[in-house]
Amino acid sequence: MPMSIHGHEVMQMMLERGGLFTRESLRQAIAEAFGPDARFHTCSAEGMDADQLIDFLERKGKFVAAAEGFQTRADRICNHG
């Protein structure tokens, strides 16, 4: 079973890569960075695949929408885990 990666790491990767993402380009970036079968957890959820993590982060307001996609900001990443 693959090791679980915290959603903070995905958000940090988004910041490091810069630019805007679509759901598809973020899914692809996650697969490249963490592997296509990676599983993810957050402070309040676990066992998510990339699509479930994207949905979760979107619901939690972790993305900043723009006309052609979305990004995240450092102040959207909680500092407790």
Side-chain angles (χ1 to χ4, degrees):
M1 182 171 178
M3 189 169 90
S4 184
I5 298 155
H6 200 291
H8 293 168
E9 292 185 50
V10 173
M11 294 174 70
Q12 189 62 46
M13 178 269 306
M14 292 172 70
L15 291 173
E16 290 169 1
R17 290 191 181 205
L20 294 174
F21 293 90
T22 62
R23 287 184 67 83
E24 183 56 38
S25 68
L26 180 54
R27 186 181 305 111
Q28 183 176 351
I30 290 170
E32 289 170 5
F34 303 105
D37 297 322
R39 301 304 282 182
F40 302 92
H41 67 278
T42 65
C43 302
S44 61
E46 60 184 50
M48 296 179 282
D49 64 20
D51 286 316
Q52 291 167 323
L53 178 67
I54 293 168
D55 289 341
F56 177 88
L57 294 174
E58 184 176 37
R59 278 193 316 274
K60 292 292 187 177
K62 302 295 186 178
F63 296 147
V64 179
E68 292 152 12
F70 55 87
Q71 181 52 280
T72 193
R73 290 194 323 244
D75 65 358
R76 303 269 171 122
I77 303 173
C78 61
N79 293 319
H80 58 83

Coordinates of all heavy atoms in Angstrom, one line a residue:
M1 N 0.8 -1.2 0.0 CA 0.0 0.0 0.0 C 0.9 1.2 0.0 O 1.8 1.3 0.8 CB -0.9 0.0 1.2 CG -1.8 1.1 1.3 SD -3.0 0.8 2.7 CE -3.9 2.3 2.6
P2 N 0.6 2.2 -0.9 CA 1.5 3.4 -0.9 C 1.3 4.2 0.3 O 0.3 4.2 1.0 CB 0.9 4.2 -2.2 CG -0.3 3.4 -2.7 CD -0.4 2.2 -1.9
M3 N 2.4 5.0 0.6 CA 2.4 5.8 1.8 C 1.5 7.0 1.5 O 1.3 7.5 0.4 CB 3.8 6.4 2.0 CG 4.0 7.1 3.3 SD 5.7 7.4 3.7 CE 5.9 9.0 2.9
S4 N 0.8 7.5 2.5 CA -0.1 8.6 2.4 C 0.6 9.9 2.5 O 1.5 10.1 3.3 CB -1.2 8.5 3.5 OG -2.1 9.5 3.4
I5 N 0.3 10.8 1.6 CA 0.9 12.1 1.5 C -0.1 13.2 2.0 O -1.3 13.2 1.6 CB 1.3 12.4 0.0 CG1 2.3 11.3 -0.4 CG2 1.8 13.8 -0.2 CD1 2.3 11.1 -1.9
H6 N 0.4 14.1 2.8 CA -0.5 15.2 3.3 C -0.8 16.2 2.2 O 0.0 16.5 1.4 CB 0.2 15.9 4.5 CG -0.8 16.6 5.3 ND1 -1.5 17.8 4.9 CD2 -1.2 16.4 6.6 CE1 -2.3 18.2 5.8 NE2 -2.1 17.4 6.9
G7 N -2.0 16.6 2.2 CA -2.5 17.6 1.2 C -1.7 18.9 1.2 O -1.6 19.5 0.2
H8 N -1.0 19.2 2.3 CA -0.1 20.4 2.4 C 1.0 20.2 1.4 O 1.4 21.2 0.8 CB 0.5 20.5 3.8 CG -0.5 20.9 4.8 ND1 -0.1 20.8 6.2 CD2 -1.8 21.3 4.8 CE1 -1.2 21.2 6.9 NE2 -2.2 21.5 6.1
E9 N 1.5 19.0 1.2 CA 2.6 18.8 0.2 C 2.1 19.1 -1.2 O 2.9 19.6 -2.0 CB 3.1 17.4 0.3 CG 3.8 17.1 1.7 CD 4.4 15.8 1.7 OE1 5.2 15.4 0.8 OE2 4.2 15.1 2.7
V10 N 0.9 18.7 -1.5 CA 0.3 19.0 -2.8 C 0.2 20.5 -3.0 O 0.6 21.1 -4.1 CB -1.0 18.3 -3.0 CG1 -1.7 18.8 -4.3 CG2 -0.9 16.8 -3.0
M11 N -0.3 21.2 -2.0 CA -0.4 22.7 -2.1 C 0.9 23.3 -2.2 O 1.1 24.3 -3.0 CB -1.2 23.2 -0.9 CG -2.6 22.7 -0.9 SD -3.5 23.2 0.6 CE -3.7 25.0 0.4
Q12 N 1.9 22.8 -1.5 CA 3.3 23.4 -1.6 C 3.8 23.1 -3.0 O 4.5 24.0 -3.6 CB 4.2 22.7 -0.6 CG 5.6 23.3 -0.4 CD 5.5 24.8 0.0 OE1 4.8 25.1 0.9 NE2 6.2 25.6 -0.7
M13 N 3.6 22.0 -3.6 CA 4.0 21.7 -5.0 C 3.4 22.7 -5.9 O 4.0 23.2 -6.8 CB 3.6 20.2 -5.3 CG 4.0 19.8 -6.7 SD 2.7 20.1 -8.0 CE 1.3 19.2 -7.4
M14 N 2.1 23.0 -5.7 CA 1.4 24.0 -6.6 C 2.1 25.3 -6.5 O 2.3 26.0 -7.5 CB -0.1 24.1 -6.1 CG -0.9 22.9 -6.4 SD -2.6 23.1 -5.7 CE -3.3 24.4 -6.7
L15 N 2.5 25.8 -5.3 CA 3.2 27.0 -5.1 C 4.5 27.0 -5.8 O 4.9 28.0 -6.5 CB 3.4 27.3 -3.6 CG 2.1 27.7 -2.8 CD1 2.5 27.8 -1.3 CD2 1.5 29.0 -3.3
E16 N 5.3 25.9 -5.7 CA 6.6 25.8 -6.3 C 6.5 25.8 -7.8 O 7.4 26.4 -8.4 CB 7.3 24.5 -5.8 CG 7.7 24.6 -4.3 CD 8.1 23.3 -3.7 OE1 8.2 22.3 -4.5 OE2 8.4 23.3 -2.5
R17 N 5.5 25.2 -8.4 CA 5.4 25.2 -9.8 C 4.9 26.5 -10.4 O 5.1 26.8 -11.5 CB 4.5 24.0 -10.2 CG 5.1 22.7 -10.0 CD 4.4 21.6 -10.7 NE 5.0 20.3 -10.4 CZ 4.9 19.3 -11.2 NH1 4.2 19.3 -12.3 NH2 5.6 18.1 -10.9
G18 N 4.1 27.2 -9.5 CA 3.5 28.5 -10.0 C 2.5 28.3 -11.1 O 2.2 27.2 -11.5
G19 N 2.0 29.4 -11.6 CA 1.0 29.3 -12.7 C -0.3 28.9 -12.2 O -0.6 28.6 -11.0
L20 N -1.2 28.8 -13.2 CA -2.6 28.3 -12.9 C -2.8 26.9 -13.3 O -2.1 26.4 -14.1 CB -3.6 29.2 -13.7 CG -3.7 30.6 -13.3 CD1 -4.6 31.4 -14.3 CD2 -4.2 30.8 -11.9
F21 N -3.7 26.2 -12.6 CA -4.0 24.8 -12.9 C -5.5 24.7 -13.2 O -6.3 25.5 -12.8 CB -3.8 24.0 -11.6 CG -2.3 23.8 -11.2 CD1 -1.8 24.8 -10.3 CD2 -1.6 22.8 -11.6 CE1 -0.5 24.7 -9.9 CE2 -0.2 22.7 -11.2 CZ 0.3 23.6 -10.4
T22 N -5.7 23.7 -14.1 CA -7.1 23.2 -14.2 C -7.2 21.9 -13.4 O -6.1 21.4 -13.0 CB -7.4 22.9 -15.7 OG1 -6.5 21.9 -16.2 CG2 -7.2 24.2 -16.6
R23 N -8.3 21.4 -13.3 CA -8.4 20.1 -12.6 C -7.5 19.0 -13.3 O -6.8 18.3 -12.6 CB -9.9 19.6 -12.6 CG -10.8 20.4 -11.6 CD -12.2 19.8 -11.6 NE -12.2 18.5 -11.0 CZ -12.2 18.2 -9.6 NH1 -12.2 19.2 -8.8 NH2 -12.2 17.0 -9.2
E24 N -7.6 19.0 -14.6 CA -6.8 18.0 -15.3 C -5.3 18.3 -15.2 O -4.5 17.3 -14.9 CB -7.2 18.0 -16.8 CG -6.4 16.9 -17.6 CD -6.6 15.5 -17.1 OE1 -7.7 15.2 -16.6 OE2 -5.6 14.7 -17.1
S25 N -4.8 19.5 -15.3 CA -3.4 19.8 -15.2 C -2.9 19.5 -13.7 O -1.8 19.1 -13.5 CB -3.1 21.2 -15.7 OG -3.6 22.2 -14.8
L26 N -3.8 19.8 -12.7 CA -3.4 19.5 -11.4 C -3.3 18.0 -11.1 O -2.4 17.5 -10.5 CB -4.3 20.2 -10.4 CG -4.0 19.9 -8.9 CD1 -2.6 20.3 -8.6 CD2 -5.0 20.7 -8.0
R27 N -4.3 17.3 -11.7 CA -4.2 15.8 -11.6 C -2.9 15.3 -12.2 O -2.3 14.4 -11.6 CB -5.4 15.2 -12.3 CG -5.6 13.7 -12.1 CD -6.8 13.2 -12.8 NE -8.0 13.8 -12.5 CZ -8.8 14.6 -13.3 NH1 -8.3 14.8 -14.5 NH2 -9.9 15.1 -12.9
Q28 N -2.6 15.8 -13.3 CA -1.3 15.4 -14.0 C -0.1 15.7 -13.2 O 0.8 14.9 -13.0 CB -1.2 16.0 -15.4 CG 0.0 15.5 -16.2 CD 0.0 16.1 -17.6 OE1 -1.0 16.7 -18.0 NE2 1.1 15.9 -18.3
A29 N -0.1 17.0 -12.6 CA 1.1 17.4 -11.8 C 1.2 16.5 -10.6 O 2.3 16.2 -10.1 CB 0.9 18.9 -11.4
I30 N 0.1 16.2 -10.0 CA 0.1 15.3 -8.8 C 0.7 14.0 -9.1 O 1.5 13.4 -8.4 CB -1.3 15.2 -8.2 CG1 -1.7 16.5 -7.5 CG2 -1.4 14.1 -7.1 CD1 -3.2 16.6 -7.1
A31 N 0.2 13.4 -10.2 CA 0.7 12.1 -10.7 C 2.2 12.1 -10.9 O 3.0 11.2 -10.6 CB 0.0 11.6 -11.9
E32 N 2.7 13.2 -11.6 CA 4.1 13.3 -11.8 C 4.9 13.5 -10.6 O 6.0 12.9 -10.4 CB 4.4 14.6 -12.7 CG 3.9 14.4 -14.2 CD 3.9 15.7 -15.0 OE1 4.4 16.7 -14.5 OE2 3.4 15.6 -16.1
A33 N 4.4 14.3 -9.6 CA 5.2 14.6 -8.4 C 5.1 13.4 -7.4 O 6.1 13.2 -6.7 CB 4.7 15.8 -7.8
F34 N 4.0 12.8 -7.3 CA 3.8 11.8 -6.2 C 3.5 10.4 -6.7 O 3.3 9.5 -5.8 CB 2.6 12.3 -5.3 CG 2.9 13.7 -4.7 CD1 2.2 14.8 -5.2 CD2 3.8 13.9 -3.7 CE1 2.4 16.0 -4.7 CE2 4.0 15.1 -3.2 CZ 3.4 16.2 -3.7
G35 N 3.3 10.2 -8.0 CA 3.0 8.9 -8.5 C 1.5 8.7 -8.8 O 0.7 9.3 -8.1
P36 N 1.1 8.0 -9.8 CA -0.3 7.8 -10.2 C -1.2 7.1 -9.2 O -2.4 7.3 -9.2 CB -0.2 7.1 -11.5 CG 1.1 6.3 -11.4 CD 2.0 7.2 -10.6
D37 N -0.6 6.4 -8.3 CA -1.4 5.6 -7.3 C -1.3 6.2 -5.9 O -1.7 5.5 -4.9 CB -0.9 4.1 -7.3 CG -1.1 3.5 -8.6 OD1 -2.2 3.7 -9.3 OD2 -0.3 2.7 -9.1
A38 N -0.7 7.4 -5.8 CA -0.5 8.0 -4.5 C -1.9 8.2 -3.8 O -2.9 8.4 -4.4 CB 0.2 9.3 -4.6
R39 N -1.9 8.1 -2.5 CA -3.0 8.3 -1.6 C -2.7 9.5 -0.7 O -1.5 9.8 -0.4 CB -3.3 7.1 -0.7 CG -3.6 5.8 -1.5 CD -4.7 5.9 -2.5 NE -6.0 5.9 -1.9 CZ -7.1 5.9 -2.5 NH1 -7.2 6.0 -3.8 NH2 -8.3 5.8 -1.9
F40 N -3.7 10.2 -0.3 CA -3.6 11.5 0.4 C -4.4 11.6 1.6 O -5.4 10.9 1.7 CB -3.9 12.6 -0.6 CG -3.1 12.6 -1.8 CD1 -3.5 12.0 -3.0 CD2 -1.8 13.2 -1.9 CE1 -2.8 11.9 -4.1 CE2 -1.1 13.2 -3.0 CZ -1.5 12.5 -4.1
H41 N -3.9 12.4 2.5 CA -4.7 12.7 3.8 C -4.6 14.2 4.1 O -3.7 14.9 3.5 CB -4.2 11.8 4.9 CG -2.8 12.2 5.4 ND1 -1.7 11.7 4.8 CD2 -2.4 13.0 6.4 CE1 -0.6 12.1 5.4 NE2 -1.0 12.9 6.4
T42 N -5.4 14.7 4.9 CA -5.4 16.0 5.4 C -5.6 16.0 6.9 O -5.6 14.9 7.5 CB -6.5 16.9 4.8 OG1 -7.7 16.4 5.2 CG2 -6.4 16.9 3.2
C43 N -5.7 17.1 7.5 CA -5.9 17.2 8.9 C -7.3 16.5 9.3 O -7.4 16.1 10.5 CB -5.9 18.6 9.4 SG -4.3 19.4 9.0
S44 N -8.2 16.4 8.4 CA -9.5 15.9 8.7 C -10.1 14.8 7.8 O -11.2 14.4 8.0 CB -10.6 17.0 8.7 OG -10.6 17.6 7.5
A45 N -9.2 14.3 6.9 CA -9.7 13.2 6.0 C -8.5 12.4 5.6 O -7.3 12.8 5.7 CB -10.3 13.8 4.7
E46 N -8.8 11.1 5.2 CA -7.7 10.3 4.8 C -8.1 9.3 3.7 O -9.3 9.2 3.4 CB -7.1 9.5 6.0 CG -8.1 8.6 6.7 CD -7.5 8.0 7.9 OE1 -6.9 8.7 8.8 OE2 -7.7 6.8 8.1
G47 N -7.2 8.6 3.1 CA -7.5 7.6 2.1 C -8.0 8.1 0.8 O -8.6 7.4 0.0
M48 N -7.6 9.4 0.4 CA -8.1 10.0 -0.8 C -7.2 9.7 -2.0 O -6.0 9.7 -1.8 CB -8.3 11.5 -0.6 CG -9.3 11.9 0.4 SD -9.4 13.7 0.6 CE -8.0 14.0 1.6
D49 N -7.8 9.6 -3.2 CA -7.0 9.6 -4.4 C -6.9 11.1 -4.8 O -7.4 12.0 -4.2 CB -7.6 8.7 -5.5 CG -8.9 9.1 -6.0 OD1 -9.3 10.3 -5.8 OD2 -9.6 8.2 -6.6
A50 N -6.2 11.3 -5.9 CA -5.9 12.7 -6.4 C -7.2 13.4 -6.6 O -7.4 14.6 -6.2 CB -5.1 12.7 -7.6
D51 N -8.2 12.8 -7.3 CA -9.5 13.5 -7.6 C -10.2 13.8 -6.3 O -10.8 14.9 -6.2 CB -10.4 12.6 -8.5 CG -9.9 12.6 -9.9 OD1 -9.5 13.6 -10.5 OD2 -9.9 11.5 -10.5
Q52 N -10.2 12.9 -5.4 CA -10.9 13.2 -4.1 C -10.2 14.3 -3.3 O -10.8 15.2 -2.7 CB -10.9 11.9 -3.2 CG -11.9 10.9 -3.8 CD -11.7 9.5 -3.2 OE1 -10.5 9.1 -2.8 NE2 -12.8 8.8 -3.0
L53 N -8.8 14.3 -3.4 CA -8.1 15.4 -2.7 C -8.4 16.8 -3.4 O -8.6 17.7 -2.7 CB -6.6 15.1 -2.8 CG -5.8 16.3 -2.2 CD1 -6.0 16.3 -0.7 CD2 -4.3 16.1 -2.5
I54 N -8.4 16.8 -4.7 CA -8.8 18.1 -5.4 C -10.2 18.5 -5.0 O -10.4 19.7 -4.7 CB -8.7 17.9 -6.9 CG1 -7.2 17.6 -7.3 CG2 -9.3 19.1 -7.7 CD1 -7.0 17.2 -8.8
D55 N -11.1 17.6 -5.0 CA -12.5 18.0 -4.5 C -12.5 18.5 -3.1 O -13.1 19.5 -2.8 CB -13.4 16.8 -4.6 CG -13.8 16.4 -6.0 OD1 -13.6 17.2 -6.9 OD2 -14.2 15.2 -6.1
F56 N -11.7 17.9 -2.2 CA -11.7 18.2 -0.8 C -11.1 19.6 -0.7 O -11.6 20.5 0.0 CB -10.8 17.2 0.0 CG -10.6 17.6 1.4 CD1 -11.6 17.2 2.4 CD2 -9.5 18.3 1.8 CE1 -11.4 17.5 3.7 CE2 -9.4 18.6 3.2 CZ -10.3 18.2 4.1
L57 N -9.9 19.9 -1.3 CA -9.3 21.2 -1.2 C -10.1 22.3 -1.8 O -10.2 23.4 -1.2 CB -7.9 21.1 -1.9 CG -6.9 20.2 -1.3 CD1 -5.6 20.2 -2.2 CD2 -6.5 20.6 0.1
E58 N -10.9 22.0 -2.8 CA -11.8 23.0 -3.4 C -12.9 23.3 -2.4 O -13.2 24.5 -2.2 CB -12.3 22.5 -4.7 CG -13.2 23.5 -5.4 CD -13.7 23.0 -6.8 OE1 -14.0 21.7 -6.9 OE2 -13.8 23.8 -7.7
R59 N -13.5 22.3 -1.8 CA -14.6 22.5 -0.8 C -14.1 23.3 0.4 O -14.8 24.1 0.9 CB -15.1 21.2 -0.3 CG -16.1 20.6 -1.2 CD -16.9 19.4 -0.5 NE -16.1 18.5 0.2 CZ -15.4 17.4 -0.2 NH1 -15.5 17.1 -1.5 NH2 -14.7 16.7 0.5
K60 N -12.8 23.1 0.7 CA -12.3 23.8 1.9 C -11.8 25.2 1.6 O -11.2 25.9 2.5 CB -11.1 23.0 2.5 CG -11.6 21.7 3.1 CD -12.4 22.0 4.4 CE -12.8 20.7 5.1 NZ -13.5 21.0 6.4
G61 N -11.9 25.6 0.4 CA -11.5 27.0 0.0 C -10.0 27.2 -0.1 O -9.5 28.3 0.0
K62 N -9.3 26.1 -0.5 CA -7.9 26.2 -0.5 C -7.4 26.7 -1.9 O -6.2 26.9 -2.1 CB -7.2 24.8 -0.3 CG -7.6 24.2 1.1 CD -7.0 25.1 2.2 CE -7.3 24.4 3.6 NZ -6.7 25.2 4.7
F63 N -8.3 26.8 -2.9 CA -7.9 27.3 -4.2 C -8.3 28.7 -4.4 O -9.4 29.2 -3.9 CB -8.5 26.4 -5.3 CG -8.0 25.0 -5.3 CD1 -8.9 24.0 -5.6 CD2 -6.7 24.6 -4.9 CE1 -8.5 22.6 -5.6 CE2 -6.3 23.3 -4.9 CZ -7.2 22.3 -5.2
V64 N -7.6 29.5 -5.2 CA -7.9 30.8 -5.6 C -8.3 30.8 -7.0 O -7.4 30.5 -7.9 CB -6.7 31.8 -5.3 CG1 -7.0 33.2 -5.7 CG2 -6.2 31.7 -3.9
A65 N -9.5 31.1 -7.3 CA -10.0 31.0 -8.7 C -9.5 32.1 -9.5 O -9.3 33.2 -9.1 CB -11.5 31.0 -8.7
A66 N -9.3 31.9 -10.8 CA -8.9 32.9 -11.8 C -9.7 32.5 -13.1 O -10.3 31.5 -13.2 CB -7.4 32.9 -12.0
A67 N -9.6 33.4 -14.1 CA -10.4 33.2 -15.3 C -10.1 31.9 -16.0 O -10.9 31.2 -16.6 CB -10.2 34.4 -16.2
E68 N -8.8 31.5 -15.9 CA -8.4 30.3 -16.7 C -7.9 29.1 -15.8 O -7.2 28.3 -16.3 CB -7.2 30.7 -17.6 CG -7.7 31.6 -18.7 CD -6.6 32.6 -19.2 OE1 -5.4 32.4 -18.9 OE2 -7.0 33.5 -19.9
G69 N -8.3 29.1 -14.6 CA -8.0 28.0 -13.7 C -8.0 28.5 -12.3 O -8.8 29.3 -11.9
F70 N -7.0 27.9 -11.5 CA -6.9 28.2 -10.1 C -5.5 28.0 -9.6 O -4.7 27.4 -10.3 CB -7.9 27.4 -9.2 CG -7.8 25.9 -9.4 CD1 -6.9 25.2 -8.7 CD2 -8.5 25.3 -10.4 CE1 -6.7 23.8 -8.9 CE2 -8.4 23.9 -10.6 CZ -7.5 23.2 -9.8
Q71 N -5.2 28.5 -8.5 CA -3.9 28.4 -7.8 C -4.2 28.3 -6.3 O -5.3 28.4 -5.9 CB -3.0 29.6 -8.2 CG -1.6 29.6 -7.6 CD -0.8 28.3 -7.8 OE1 -1.0 27.3 -7.1 NE2 0.1 28.3 -8.8
T72 N -3.2 28.2 -5.5 CA -3.3 28.3 -4.1 C -2.4 29.4 -3.6 O -1.6 29.9 -4.4 CB -3.0 26.9 -3.4 OG1 -3.5 27.0 -2.0 CG2 -1.6 26.6 -3.5
R73 N -2.5 29.7 -2.3 CA -1.6 30.7 -1.7 C -1.1 30.2 -0.4 O -1.8 29.3 0.2 CB -2.4 32.0 -1.5 CG -2.7 32.8 -2.7 CD -3.1 34.2 -2.3 NE -3.9 34.4 -1.1 CZ -5.2 34.8 -1.1 NH1 -5.8 35.1 -2.2 NH2 -5.8 34.9 0.1
A74 N 0.1 30.6 0.0 CA 0.7 30.1 1.2 C -0.2 30.3 2.4 O -0.3 29.5 3.3 CB 2.0 30.8 1.4
D75 N -1.0 31.4 2.4 CA -1.8 31.7 3.6 C -3.1 30.7 3.6 O -3.8 30.7 4.6 CB -2.3 33.1 3.6 CG -3.1 33.6 2.5 OD1 -3.4 32.8 1.6 OD2 -3.6 34.8 2.5
R76 N -3.2 29.9 2.6 CA -4.3 28.9 2.6 C -3.9 27.6 3.2 O -4.7 26.7 3.3 CB -4.9 28.7 1.2 CG -5.3 30.0 0.5 CD -6.8 30.2 0.7 NE -7.2 31.5 0.2 CZ -8.2 31.7 -0.7 NH1 -8.8 30.7 -1.2 NH2 -8.5 32.9 -1.0
I77 N -2.6 27.4 3.4 CA -2.1 26.2 4.0 C -2.0 26.3 5.5 O -1.3 27.2 6.0 CB -0.7 25.9 3.4 CG1 -0.7 25.8 1.9 CG2 -0.1 24.6 4.0 CD1 0.7 25.7 1.3
C78 N -2.7 25.5 6.2 CA -2.7 25.6 7.7 C -1.4 25.1 8.2 O -0.6 24.4 7.5 CB -3.9 24.7 8.3 SG -3.8 23.0 7.9
N79 N -1.0 25.5 9.4 CA 0.3 25.3 9.9 C 0.4 24.3 11.0 O 1.3 24.3 11.8 CB 0.9 26.7 10.4 CG 1.1 27.7 9.3 OD1 1.6 27.3 8.3 ND2 0.8 28.9 9.6
H80 N -0.6 23.4 11.0 CA -0.6 22.4 12.2 C -0.4 21.0 11.8 O -0.8 20.1 12.5 CB -1.9 22.6 13.0 CG -3.1 22.4 12.2 ND1 -3.6 21.1 11.9 CD2 -3.9 23.3 11.5 CE1 -4.7 21.3 11.1 NE2 -4.9 22.5 10.9
G81 N 0.3 20.7 10.7 CA 0.5 19.3 10.5 C 0.8 19.0 9.1 O 1.0 18.4 8.3

